[in-house]
Amino acid sequence: MRIYNTLAGEKEDFIPLVKDRVNMYVCGVTVYDNCHIGHARSAIVFDVIQRYLKYKGFNVKFVRNFTDIDDKIINRAKKEGIPWDEVARKYTEEFYNDMDSLGVARADIEPKATEHIKEIIDIVKGLIDKGYAYEKDSSIYFEVNKFHEYGKLSKRDKEDMIAGARVEVDERKKDPMDFALWKASKEGEPFWESPWGKGRPGWHIECTAMSIKHLAESFDIHGGGADLIFPHHENEIAQSEAFTGKPFVKYWVHNGFITIDKEKMSKSLGNFFTIKEVLDRYDPEVVRFFLLSTHYRSPIEFSDEQLKEAEVSIDRYYTTLIRIADFSGNGDVKDKTSGIEKTFEGVVNSFKEKFQAAMDDDFNTALALGHIFELIRETNRFLDSRPSGQKPSELISKAKELLSEAGGVLNIFRRAPDEWQSALMKSKKIQLTGQDVLNKIKEREEARQKKDWAASDAIRKELDEKGIILEDKKDGTDWKIKVG
RNA sequence: GGCGGCGUACCCAAGUGGCUAAGGGGGAGGUCUGCAAAACCUUUAUGCAGCGGUUCAAAUCCGCUCGCCGCCUCCA
């Protein structure tokens, strides 16, 4: 297995610190507002990574934190006129609502910053004792100059950054690059007692405290969005390695951004969609599929067109499932082994290997989906050849299992076709009920018996305009939701 | 200004030295059908931003040019 390691700047063989075990920490969200679709990408990417590692047989311990104390939370509380911890509680709940919809599994441990104040204070104390941190006006700062490897993750040196002239000037710091480990609280702000007076933790220190506590001083994978590389993860490395004297993380994994008109989706630009807004129009599985159809490190352009394509793709899967269910095994081709069967057998037998090879190569979900659709196409092709006998039945059920297994890793393709149809009715806000449609089908069938094609086609057209497609089959007429 | 990434068909998107450049969507033609839909078949990049170079061999490595984006500030 190979993983792109931001620290190394290239793909590396994945060798966990302890054989067969993976300790993994992913930066979660700051709970001050509803999540947007960019948060969904990060959550889904690491959800799939976590699922795949478990699928491969690793004993995975997955930690994803909540930042529940921060300037943004305090500001939000002021704005809404409610207590800061009420803001955190509310948006933690919203986070769960969104992530549950999207099929993002709960992490094994989901720690909160405010539940680790003691651990944070201990680490800050330790850093002061070791000479890496200093106090100024009851706040504690990490002295970046003392940590000589500073910049090794983001690949830059201090001079470059200062030349950027965008470093915030804070008179209390010895050096503009120094960052706060502990912030003295201002009047009216939330605080915890500390050896330096009333204050609260800085942003970066919580991840050091929580990852060390729940995983170890050194662990395997640390993930998050690419925008966390600097300063957040760079600072985590500095304070963690200064504190423990050990390498902090072996593999740093970062997901790319979602863009709108080629620009990064972000709160400050205002060009974002919340998860709730998107889920109002598309089924969660569609969103998930869309996000997995591009490699996790590449930017992905958010667009209706692409979401509709994802919807069509998923529908193709469920349509094939229906065809498989309809397969009787009593085709009229008595033939032993056709060329089509040989091809199908080959695709079935090589699928798992190809799927795993794709996922083993830095979690290439886009390639994995390509293999999935090759299998779907071959399954349809084989079904079209109307095979009969036991071997075809076995091959088809094996194909079905393989699709289901791969879908399980990506956490898509988990429903029955009729559940998918119901979900589409909801997301497309179709007003008709199933019974309405059946009545129309019956009416049309009567017209068809009389060979009144005009009346028959009028009904088809009427339903089509309402988003319903009719499919005439040998033993009756089926209907489905129009996708795309 | 510093650092980094990207540019593959009409659209999306894999592919980072070597069989005929995955897969999906769209278009065109066809099979099937009362007509459709679905499915399948054929077709849609002698070429991977451009120009040079390395190599027996490059979309893939190197150099330059053009274009786009990100990070350097809270940010998934």
Side-chain angles (χ1 to χ4, degrees):
Chain A
M1 224 176 131
R2 291 174 68 75
I3 299 184
Y4 184 89
N5 186 354
T6 307
L7 188 60
E10 60 188 9
K11 285 185 204 169
E12 293 184 330
D13 287 325
F14 180 63
I15 303 163
L17 294 166
V18 177
K19 193 171 182 297
D20 299 330
R21 290 199 53 177
V22 178
N23 280 330
M24 156 173 182
Y25 184 98
V26 173
C27 288
V29 293
T30 300
V31 280
Y32 75 105
D33 202 353
N34 277 310
C35 290
H36 61 64
I37 196 74
H39 298 104
R41 184 178 196 191
S42 185
I44 288 170
V45 161
F46 289 102
D47 182 55
V48 168
I49 289 175
Q50 177 260 134
R51 283 171 197 271
Y52 186 64
L53 291 169
K54 284 177 179 164
Y55 168 83
K56 288 278 282 187
F58 289 106
N59 181 3
V60 179
K61 191 170 179 186
F62 176 35
V63 179
R64 183 180 53 220
N65 73 298
F66 286 103
T67 297
D68 63 343
I69 180 65
D70 169 271
D71 289 347
K72 291 197 289 291
I73 294 172
I74 293 168
N75 292 337
R76 181 82 186 207
K78 275 186 200 151
K79 199 173 128 198
E80 294 196 11
I82 55 177
W84 67 273
D85 51 347
E86 178 61 18
V87 170
R89 193 203 55 73
K90 177 178 169 189
Y91 290 108
T92 301
E93 192 179 313
E94 293 299 344
F95 173 88
Y96 280 131
N97 287 340
D98 291 342
M99 296 305 155
D100 289 351
S101 301
L102 290 168
V104 173
R106 302 290 168 108
D108 297 308
I109 302 171
E110 304 190 325
K112 295 175 178 170
T114 56
E115 293 168 354
H116 297 76
I117 301 296
K118 183 186 172 300
E119 289 83 353
I120 289 170
I121 288 172
D122 287 345
I123 292 172
V124 174
K125 262 197 252 175
L127 285 168
I128 294 172
D129 292 345
K130 290 177 190 210
Y132 285 103
Y134 57 91
E135 179 181 351
K136 191 82 211 269
D137 299 339
S138 300
S139 288
I140 311 296
Y141 296 93
F142 185 89
E143 192 165 355
V144 167
N145 277 324
K146 293 275 174 69
F147 187 74
H148 300 298
E149 292 182 292
Y150 194 79
K152 68 179 174 180
L153 181 71
S154 53
K155 313 270 186 289
R156 63 189 90 205
D157 57 54
K158 267 192 67 212
E159 281 62 39
D160 293 339
M161 288 184 270
I162 290 164
R166 284 167 67 182
V167 178
E168 182 190 344
V169 180
D170 183 336
E171 295 307 321
R172 290 169 299 190
K173 297 179 187 175
K174 285 188 189 173
D175 185 288
M177 294 308 300
D178 293 351
F179 57 90
L181 295 167
W182 184 263
K183 295 175 159 179
S185 69
K186 295 183 201 118
E187 191 59 35
E189 284 184 353
F191 64 84
W192 286 262
E193 294 294 347
S194 81
W196 320 285
K198 293 172 179 176
R200 58 192 166 91
W203 173 33
H204 319 293
I205 195 68
E206 62 177 80
C207 289
T208 291
M210 294 187 282
S211 59
I212 289 175
K213 177 176 181 185
H214 297 289
L215 296 173
E217 292 186 338
S218 297
F219 56 94
D220 302 293
I221 295 175
H222 191 131
D227 44 6
L228 296 180
I229 295 170
F230 190 89
H232 185 52
H233 290 161
E234 195 69 71
N235 291 353
E236 275 188 51
I237 292 175
Q239 66 201 7
S240 301
E241 298 192 349
F243 178 68
T244 67
K246 295 174 189 163
F248 182 44
V249 169
K250 192 164 181 191
Y251 302 94
W252 286 92
V253 179
H254 294 98
N255 64 275
F257 304 124
I258 294 184
T259 59
I260 303 255
D261 294 330
K262 295 275 177 86
E263 275 191 324
K264 180 189 170 187
M265 180 184 284
S266 73
K267 284 257 168 165
S268 47
L269 285 171
N271 61 344
F272 62 90
F273 293 97
T274 63
I275 294 172
K276 293 180 208 308
E277 286 168 340
V278 177
L279 290 184
D280 182 54
R281 294 165 53 223
Y282 295 97
D283 186 83
E285 189 172 353
V286 171
V287 177
R288 217 176 148 97
F289 186 99
F290 162 69
L291 293 174
L292 295 175
S293 64
T294 297
H295 185 88
Y296 78 88
R297 279 189 286 114
S298 303
I300 182 168
E301 173 78 9
F302 187 84
S303 73
D304 269 315
E305 194 188 346
Q306 295 309 311
L307 281 162
K308 283 176 182 163
E309 275 194 23
E311 188 175 271
V312 169
S313 295
I314 294 168
D315 195 63
R316 186 165 155 76
Y317 169 75
Y318 286 113
T319 299
T320 300
L321 269 199
I322 293 170
R323 293 196 67 200
I324 289 173
D326 289 347
F327 173 68
S328 61
N330 297 319
D332 42 22
V333 177
K334 295 282 181 282
D335 240 65
K336 30 290 132 192
T337 312
S338 68
I340 289 174
E341 182 174 307
K342 273 220 170 68
T343 306
F344 182 53
E345 191 173 7
V347 171
V348 166
N349 288 333
S350 62
F351 175 77
K352 195 161 174 167
E353 197 182 316
K354 285 196 271 189
F355 175 75
Q356 292 193 11
M359 294 298 287
D360 277 349
D361 186 11
D362 198 26
F363 311 106
N364 194 337
T365 53
L367 181 57
L369 286 170
H371 296 320
I372 284 172
F373 280 94
E374 187 188 18
L375 179 55
I376 286 173
R377 188 188 64 229
E378 288 306 324
T379 300
N380 279 316
R381 204 162 94 95
F382 187 55
L383 288 168
D384 274 356
S385 75
R386 302 182 55 75
S388 68
Q390 198 188 344
K391 191 178 176 195
S393 297
E394 284 170 5
L395 282 175
I396 286 167
S397 61
K398 189 169 176 201
K400 188 183 168 188
E401 278 168 33
L402 287 167
L403 289 168
S404 165
E405 183 178 319
V409 171
L410 304 177
N411 202 17
I412 55 175
F413 301 163
R414 314 278 317 247
R415 293 179 279 190
D418 61 316
E419 292 172 320
W420 165 245
Q421 290 295 315
S422 316
L424 280 176
M425 279 187 107
K426 198 190 282 176
S427 67
K428 293 189 171 294
K429 302 182 174 60
I430 287 171
Q431 301 302 324
L432 298 171
T433 63
Q435 192 54 50
D436 293 336
V437 179
L438 290 178
N439 290 342
K440 286 288 175 189
I441 287 175
K442 196 173 168 217
E443 199 182 309
R444 176 170 169 273
E445 187 51 36
E446 283 159 11
R448 293 182 77 212
Q449 290 298 330
K450 288 183 262 174
K451 295 206 189 303
D452 183 353
W453 306 125
S456 165
D457 290 348
I459 292 169
R460 187 210 296 287
K461 187 161 180 266
E462 179 192 339
L463 288 173
D464 183 85
E465 281 162 3
K466 290 175 178 167
I468 305 290
I469 301 280
L470 297 183
E471 292 188 4
D472 293 328
K473 296 186 178 178
K474 274 208 174 76
D475 50 354
T477 300
D478 281 353
W479 63 277
K480 53 186 285 191
I481 311 294
K482 185 158 69 172
V483 291

